[in-house]
Amino acid sequence: MWLKDLLPDDLPQARILSYGYDADTHSFAHTSSLNIFQHAEAFVEELSRQRRANPERPVIFLAHSLGGIILKRALALCHNDSFKSNHGFRDILTSTAAILFFGTPHSGTNGIQLAEWMCRAVSIFMSTNKGILSDLGRDSPALEDIQAQYNPASEGIDTISFYEEYPTPTIGGLPRKIVPRQSAIIAGDARARVAVLHANHCQMIKFSDKDDGDYLKVVNYLHELMEKGPQKVRNNWLKEASYRRIAKGELSPIQQAVFPKPLLPVSRNYVQRPHIDNFITEKLLPQKPVTCQPWCVLHGLGGGGKTQVASSWIETHKQRFTRVIVVDASSRGQIKADLTTAIRSIGPEYSKSTWRDTVAYLSGQKGWLLYFDNADSPDLRLNDYLPNSIHGAILVTTRNRELISYAPDSHISVGMLTEDEAIDLLHKVSDLTPPSNESSLAIVKELGMWALAITQAGAYIFKTCRLDSYLATFRQHREKLMREASLR
């Protein structure tokens, strides 16, 4: 079993726990949604007991098939638990950094027979309960209800959904994909990442050795999530502690209900641009002592991907800063509002502070990053909002080239993608891997190598599954295609 035979060597710092469950297959007194609820409740109770000595330890869940449905119901239970409760259920949710779903039927399976076979294949049921199986059917109300309860619980949790590439042999029938891609993806979750495993439904969680390509893919994701997880969970606990103090009457809502402006999420289809990343790192994280404030200005036309580049870089390097302050610089009023939020989020003693206090506070601190996004107005001047210190860094995204005067030697244009970046983006968004890049290269060149236009094209191709005919269709219906894609 890879969880005990392979994973401990690759993740020696991790504590690996496995959990099994057995359904009540012979009782016809309860519906399947109640059975799932019972499994979920038993799971969180057992996990809470296991974590009692270290309730703030970060958690990454791996869930296969129906186990993912049970996990979602379990985290919904945690979310709905009282702040005053001593169950430890909320501790689990607060400590959850990420979830890897393996072939989980979020939208159900296509037909009762496939649902029954799925259950038997993963040894969940010894016999068949028709109520349970109907609730695993495509777009079932029970699954929709679980998803609706899970949505608020999952906010901020990194999610990766793996789907099966190959059909699974079935007894007395043709091989079928038990949980097809469209069901293995959580509908509407734009932050979740999606990846294929080159296996059928049963074999997708069975890895032969450390050189197995699918195993390496999963381990790489785990390494990434474990690197980001501790800081994410620390931030969760800061918020949770405030909520619990309110519930106990130790703080008023006015004192606590201020949190820093969050960083815009990086699209799951984002394509790395290493030459820009390296430039930002060179300017904002210099290797030698500095005599002036580190700056970097990302400038260029709209649609070039400036905000995504900045968000991705910050997400990668945020642990190297003591504090990251995100400011929407689209207007002076918004700048002042976000700077005010930043100072008030530090603690209740700053509840009456203003944006000017933020600037003064940062002037006396070290190691911070102040990020002005969308500083596009030609009338905008940033001088009033800049801390007077060389011990922090400034990052700006803008369409206004005049702002490069703040950083004459530390600005870079974010414009057209390289050919490889553009093709990679098109294939990611369209979820296609053609045998040749010839058609893809023609498309991205036609679109001027611009990230936004290529993303829109990929969205249309994803819907139609036609890469080869896109260019002719695009030229014939250019305005309509781009308008439709931008609405999705």
Side-chain angles (χ1 to χ4, degrees):
M1 183 178 182
W2 67 283
L3 290 175
K4 68 176 182 178
D5 298 330
L6 304 180
L7 203 56
D9 289 339
D10 288 311
L11 303 176
Q13 70 275 42
R15 179 189 183 206
I16 301 172
L17 303 176
S18 61
Y19 181 83
Y21 52 91
D22 185 20
D24 179 10
T25 60
H26 300 289
S27 171
F28 294 92
H30 307 291
T31 66
S32 67
S33 59
L34 182 58
N35 279 330
I36 289 174
F37 174 86
Q38 290 172 335
H39 291 312
E41 189 173 42
F43 169 62
V44 293
E45 287 176 351
E46 178 61 26
L47 183 57
S48 178
R49 285 193 292 270
Q50 291 285 338
R51 291 172 47 83
R52 193 160 292 160
N54 196 352
E56 297 186 18
R57 184 170 186 151
V59 182
I60 296 176
F61 287 107
L62 286 71
H64 177 234
S65 199
L66 182 58
I69 304 298
I70 293 173
L71 174 62
K72 292 200 297 183
R73 186 65 184 89
L75 292 179
L77 279 174
C78 296
H79 181 263
N80 294 330
D81 200 27
S82 169
F83 288 108
K84 297 181 179 180
S85 171
N86 295 320
H87 293 152
F89 290 2
R90 288 198 62 86
D91 296 351
I92 294 172
L93 179 61
T94 305
S95 299
T96 299
I99 300 174
L100 279 66
F101 290 109
F102 294 80
T104 293
H106 300 288
S107 301
T109 58
N110 292 318
I112 296 297
Q113 289 182 334
L114 279 184
E116 179 179 1
W117 202 94
M118 178 189 71
C119 294
R120 289 178 174 174
V122 297
S123 301
I124 296 172
F125 302 105
M126 293 184 300
S127 60
T128 305
N129 181 315
K130 291 183 179 179
I132 292 174
L133 297 179
S134 65
D135 282 349
L136 290 176
R138 185 74 178 164
D139 299 322
S140 78
L143 291 181
E144 290 180 0
D145 181 60
I146 290 173
Q147 184 62 44
Q149 296 178 58
Y150 172 70
N151 284 338
S154 65
E155 185 175 349
I157 297 176
D158 283 335
T159 302
I160 299 173
S161 297
F162 294 104
Y163 64 95
E164 61 217 55
E165 180 178 15
Y166 301 126
T168 301
T170 59
I171 300 173
L174 296 174
R176 299 287 296 276
K177 288 186 179 180
I178 305 301
V179 181
R181 182 186 188 280
Q182 61 268 28
S183 183
I185 297 172
I186 300 178
D189 189 351
R191 301 164 302 168
R193 287 178 283 177
V194 180
V196 63
L197 294 180
H198 307 295
N200 63 32
H201 188 75
C202 296
Q203 297 298 319
M204 68 188 307
I205 56 165
K206 297 177 181 179
F207 308 120
S208 56
D209 54 49
K210 290 189 175 184
D211 295 324
D212 186 308
D214 286 342
Y215 173 75
L216 293 173
K217 180 184 293 186
V218 172
V219 169
N220 285 336
Y221 276 120
L222 287 173
H223 276 298
E224 173 199 330
L225 296 170
M226 288 183 67
E227 183 178 342
K228 298 191 302 182
Q231 184 60 50
K232 177 190 288 287
V233 171
R234 280 194 291 271
N235 293 339
N236 290 348
W237 274 102
L238 287 174
K239 295 180 183 180
E240 182 71 11
S242 295
Y243 292 140
R244 293 185 185 187
R245 291 180 68 187
I246 283 184
K248 295 177 181 178
E250 296 174 4
L251 283 178
S252 70
I254 294 178
Q255 287 177 302
Q256 79 85 49
V258 179
F259 298 106
K261 189 181 187 73
L263 186 69
L264 286 175
V266 180
S267 169
R268 68 185 182 193
N269 297 314
Y270 176 71
V271 173
Q272 295 292 334
R273 304 174 78 170
H275 67 292
I276 301 179
D277 288 344
N278 292 338
F279 182 88
I280 301 172
T281 302
E282 176 188 340
K283 299 303 179 182
L284 298 187
L285 293 170
Q287 298 298 313
K288 299 179 181 179
V290 298
T291 57
C292 59
Q293 193 176 66
W295 267 75
C296 186
V297 176
L298 307 182
H299 60 90
L301 298 176
K306 299 180 295 295
T307 296
Q308 283 289 289
V309 169
S311 294
S312 174
W313 186 88
I314 293 173
E315 189 66 39
T316 301
H317 297 280
K318 62 185 178 184
Q319 292 187 5
R320 300 182 65 178
F321 296 97
T322 57
R323 184 181 301 275
V324 176
I325 299 95
V326 179
V327 175
D328 178 354
S330 57
S331 69
R332 292 183 180 86
Q334 191 61 53
I335 292 174
K336 294 176 180 179
D338 288 347
L339 287 174
T340 300
T341 297
I343 188 75
R344 294 184 180 181
S345 69
I346 297 175
E349 65 271 28
Y350 294 94
S351 60
K352 295 183 180 180
S353 298
T354 69
W355 67 270
R356 296 183 186 275
D357 297 311
T358 302
V359 177
Y361 177 84
L362 293 178
S363 296
Q365 301 295 312
K366 295 182 178 181
W368 44 264
L369 173 66
L370 182 55
Y371 168 41
F372 293 98
D373 187 31
N374 292 322
D376 300 329
S377 172
D379 301 324
L380 179 63
R381 299 293 179 267
L382 293 175
N383 303 66
D384 290 342
Y385 314 115
L386 302 177
N388 183 22
S389 171
I390 65 171
H391 301 299
I394 308 288
L395 177 62
V396 179
T397 65
T398 181
R399 300 183 190 183
N400 180 9
R401 278 188 55 86
E402 292 185 10
L403 289 188
I404 68 177
S405 62
Y406 286 98
D409 301 319
S410 302
H411 62 86
I412 186 170
S413 175
V414 181
M416 294 184 295
L417 300 170
T418 66
E419 287 186 1
D420 288 342
E421 291 168 348
I423 291 171
D424 189 16
L425 177 59
L426 182 68
H427 292 172
K428 273 191 174 183
V429 179
S430 63
D431 195 32
L432 294 175
T433 308
S436 167
N437 289 337
E438 183 178 352
S439 296
S440 302
L441 181 59
I443 291 172
V444 298
K445 284 185 174 180
E446 181 85 7
L447 298 174
M449 314 295 282
W450 283 96
L452 179 59
I454 294 168
T455 299
Q456 292 173 340
Y460 183 86
I461 294 168
F462 176 80
K463 180 180 178 182
T464 62
C465 297
R466 294 299 303 272
L467 182 71
D468 53 351
S469 62
Y470 175 81
L471 202 54
T473 306
F474 173 75
R475 288 167 176 165
Q476 184 179 358
H477 305 287
R478 183 181 301 257
E479 292 184 5
K480 180 182 178 182
L481 279 177
M482 299 306 285
R483 183 171 61 253
E484 287 181 354
S486 65
L487 293 176
R488 279 192 292 278

